[in-house]
Structures are given as structure tokens and as C-alpha cells.
């Protein structure tokens, strides 16, 4: 696999004052596949995504894109290097669109900045692929619906032909029927364009349907990763098992007992020693409070950071 087919994040540490929002996380994003990133609010998912995008300062670690480490680049170098390769859809697409600029200008600006010609043809092609009328280009963001704003945000992210897309809670706030249309659209675009996608979500049912691989975060660390089907079928980390037990299941014969975790999530400014989950873990032993577990191999497509994983 070539450098152009994968983003390699290694040992990322992100601090916000005393808070260590990301504590040594590593993640690979592979072209043509969708990786889900899940965990409770405050686990560091969005911060990790923003660090990969160069939008949040990295204390230590590396993010290699096309063979170059973004951490060693200057800000102007990153602005030239990253946008044609990696783009992001933010949690609130309407808020990410400038209210003072018409849709057409929003879509044309990246093309001009990076010297790509034939703006009108590219914009028309994208809008058609996303089911949007071309006359939308003359409107301001406040003149379009929320669903249209989300599609415009996708168009802006794809306008430079990136190989990787980071989508932060892209289905949040959408009706179920609209969610379905959006997910079908994303699947179609991935197959057509060969995109590698990082899909951040709290909706585990959506993650199960749309992702090939899955990474689970807890208090700034990735505690389990592997093939989505493998993890959903047989989670190895107690935290992952608790998360998955909370998913809704229509078929009563397939429902699993709900795992209720005791205690509160620890503060990121003063996380527990050893395993960060041990204060809430039903399987915790004395070693868990002393030694921090590293990701170790369960099988060829599955790794877990736990001293006493679920067999």
C-alpha cells in the first residue's frame, strides 16, 4: 500500500491547558474504506479529528499524509499540502458556511486558491451528484434548508478531489429518512471516488451499517480497534461491550442485556492511573490501577488495550 493510500497518525498527544484531550492515540485511515470512531462525549473524538486536519496544535506525535508529516510543516505549508488531500465535514454544516458569501463563491474559492480551472463545470458536476440545483449557487446559506446546507458542506469538502474525508457527526439532527438518504449518498460517493473516510458518530446502529473498521475511544485513548463486524459480534474491551449493549434492537431475540457502568467518567485533567477505565470496569483487578495497557493483538483484524479482555 502506497503512502498516498493511507493517513498514518502515530502517538498523538493534544493538550488544552491541564487537560490531555488526546493521550497517545494512533490511527490509520485507508483509501476506499470507512473507519468509525466512537466513544462517549468528551472522549476526544473531535479533537483527534481536528488534530489530523491540522486545526488543533499537537503536543507530540505525527500525522503522515502522502509521505509527509504535518507536524513538521509550517502553517502555510499545511494550507497548501492538506486541502487537496484531506477534507472535513464539521458537526454543524450550516455554521461552517460563511453567511456573507453565496454558495457559488464558497465552492469556487478553494478551486481558485489551489489553481484548479473550469470552476463552473466542477461545481455543476458536484451539485448534480449531490441532488442540488445549480441555481443554489446564487443563494446565501441562510436561504437554504438544513439538508441542503449539509449537502453543500459535502460539496465544498469534495470540490478539490480529496482522497480522504473526515465526517464529524454528519447525521446528527437529521430525520431517520433523511439520514438514510445521506448515508446512501456517502456510500455511493465512496465507491465512485475511492474515498477513505473517518466517520465520527454516537449512533452505533449507523456505524454498524456504514463502516468497515472501528476505533473506540475512552478518555483520550483508543481502547479497541478492528473490523467493525468483528467488534460488534464479539467486543473484547469491557467499555466497548457496555457501549454496544446500549444500542437499540428491534428483534427481541437478538437483544443483549444492558451493561450499566458504575461511577462517573473521570476528568481528563486528572485521569486515573493505570487503565483509565478501571474505576468503572466490572472486570477490574489490582493490576489495572497500576499498569496502563497497550493495544495488543486479538486476531489479524482486531486489537484491544485491556489486561483482562473479554474472551
Amino acid at each position: 500500500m502506497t503512502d498516498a493510500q493511507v493517513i498514518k497518525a502515530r502517538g498523538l498527544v493534544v493538550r488544552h491547558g491541564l487537560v490531555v484531550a488526546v493521550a497517545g492515540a494512533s490511527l490509520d485511515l485507508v483509501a476506499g474504506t470507512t473507519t468509525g470512531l466512537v466513544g462517549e462525549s468528551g472522549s476526544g473524538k473531535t479533537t483527534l479529528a481536528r488534530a489530523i486536519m491540522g486545526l488543533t496544535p499537537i503536543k507530540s506525535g505525527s500525522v503522515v499524509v502522502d509521505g509527509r508529516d504535518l507536524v513538521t510543516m509550517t502553517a502555510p505549508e499545511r494550507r497548501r499540502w492538506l486541502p487537496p488531500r484531506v477534507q472535513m465535514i464539521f458537526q454543524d454544516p450550516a455554521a461552517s458556511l460563511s453567511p456573507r458569501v453565496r454558495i457559488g463563491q464558497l465552492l469556487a474559492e478553494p478551486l481558485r486558491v489551489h489553481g484548479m480551472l473550469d470552476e463552473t463545470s466542477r461545481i455543476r458536476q458536484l451539485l448534480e451528484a449531490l441532488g442540488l440545483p445549480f441555481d443554489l449557487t446564487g443563494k446565501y446559506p441562510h436561504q437554504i434548508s438544513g439538508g441542503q446546507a449539509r449537502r453543500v458542506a459535502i460539496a465544498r469538502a469534495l470540490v478539490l478531489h480529496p482522497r480522504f474525508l473526515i465526517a464529524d457527526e454528519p447525521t446528527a439532527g437529521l430525520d431517520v429518512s433523511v439520514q438514510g438518504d445521506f448515508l446512501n449518498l456517502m456510500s455511493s460517493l465512496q465507491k465512485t471516488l475511492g474515498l477513505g473516510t473517518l466517520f465520527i458518530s454516537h449512533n452505533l446502529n449507523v456505524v454498524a451499517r456504514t463502516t468497515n473498521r472501528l476505533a473506540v475511544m475512552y478518555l483520550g485513548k483508543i481502547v479497541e480497534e478492528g473490523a467493525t463486524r468483528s467488534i460488534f459480534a464479539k467486543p473484547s474491551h469491557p467499555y466497548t461491550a457496555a457501549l454496544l449493549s446500549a444500542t437499540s434492537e428491534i428483534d427481541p431475540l437478538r437483544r443483549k442485556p444492558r451493561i450499566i457502568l458504575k461511577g462517573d467518567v473521570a476528568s481528563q485533567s486528572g485521569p486515573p492511573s493505570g487503565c483509565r477505565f478501571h474505576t468503572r470496569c466490572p472486570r477490574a483487578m489490582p493490576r489495572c490501577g497500576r499498569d496502563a495497557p497497550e493495544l495488543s493483538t486479538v486476531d489479524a483484524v482486531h486489537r484491544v488495550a485491556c489486561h483482562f479482555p473479554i474472551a
Side-chain angles (χ1 to χ4, degrees):
M1 189 173 293
T2 67
D3 286 339
Q5 293 175 303
V6 61
I7 295 176
K8 298 179 180 180
R10 293 290 181 271
L12 290 186
V13 175
V14 178
R15 285 182 174 271
H16 300 313
L18 297 176
V19 174
V20 182
V22 179
S26 298
L27 192 66
D28 286 352
L29 304 181
V30 180
T33 66
T34 298
T35 298
L37 184 60
V38 300
E40 292 168 289
S41 296
S43 61
K45 304 184 300 297
T46 295
T47 303
L48 175 57
R50 291 178 64 86
I52 292 173
M53 286 297 302
L55 299 174
T56 294
I58 296 171
K59 179 71 174 178
S60 60
S62 63
V63 180
V64 177
V65 179
D66 252 6
R68 293 193 62 185
D69 187 356
L70 303 183
V71 177
T72 63
M73 292 183 183
T74 64
E77 286 176 329
R78 277 198 303 272
R79 285 195 291 269
R80 289 193 300 271
W81 185 260
L82 201 60
R85 295 168 173 84
V86 191
Q87 285 288 329
M88 185 168 180
I89 302 173
F90 296 91
Q91 285 191 31
D92 187 342
S96 72
L97 305 176
S98 172
R100 298 180 177 85
V101 181
R102 296 180 192 272
I103 302 300
Q105 294 171 279
L106 285 170
L107 297 176
E109 183 180 23
L111 294 168
R112 293 172 188 161
V113 169
H114 291 275
M116 297 185 180
L117 304 177
D118 202 10
E119 298 169 9
T120 302
S121 175
R122 174 61 178 157
I123 293 170
R124 188 183 294 276
Q125 176 191 33
L126 262 180
L127 293 180
E128 181 178 341
L130 292 166
L132 294 171
F134 186 74
D135 62 13
L136 207 73
T137 54
K139 296 183 178 180
Y140 289 95
H142 72 272
Q143 295 175 312
I144 63 177
S145 70
Q148 288 176 324
R150 197 171 296 270
R151 289 175 182 249
V152 168
I154 297 172
R156 187 177 61 175
L158 296 177
V159 73
L160 292 176
H161 301 278
R163 286 189 295 276
F164 297 93
L165 184 65
I166 296 176
D168 192 0
E169 295 284 1
T171 60
L174 295 180
D175 293 337
V176 174
S177 60
V178 180
Q179 279 188 23
D181 290 342
F182 173 80
L183 294 172
N184 289 335
L185 171 64
M186 291 295 292
S187 177
S188 174
L189 291 172
Q190 184 186 56
K191 291 175 183 176
T192 303
L193 304 175
L195 282 172
T197 306
L198 178 63
F199 190 97
I200 302 170
S201 181
H202 286 99
N203 191 328
L204 295 175
N205 288 318
V206 169
V207 169
R209 172 187 167 187
T210 59
T211 67
N212 310 107
R213 294 189 60 78
L214 183 65
V216 182
M217 285 195 79
Y218 184 79
L219 278 183
K221 286 184 172 289
I222 292 177
V223 297
E224 188 164 7
E225 65 172 3
T228 302
R229 286 186 178 181
S230 174
I231 292 178
F232 269 77
K234 192 176 180 181
S236 293
H237 199 285
Y239 176 64
T240 307
L243 277 183
L244 298 184
S245 77
T247 58
S248 58
E249 175 57 61
I250 296 176
D251 185 351
L253 298 178
R254 298 178 61 183
R255 290 176 190 160
K256 298 178 180 179
R258 178 73 184 272
I259 300 173
I260 306 297
L261 297 176
K262 297 180 180 180
D264 298 323
V265 180
S267 169
Q268 288 178 314
S269 61
S273 59
C275 174
R276 295 185 170 206
F277 184 61
H278 85 268
T279 56
R280 305 173 71 198
C281 182
R283 299 171 64 87
M285 301 291 284
R287 179 187 177 189
C288 302
R290 298 191 305 265
D291 306 325
E294 299 295 330
L295 283 168
S296 57
T297 300
V298 176
D299 56 43
V301 293
H302 195 163
R303 297 197 302 163
V304 64
C306 182
H307 295 306
F308 305 101
I310 302 169

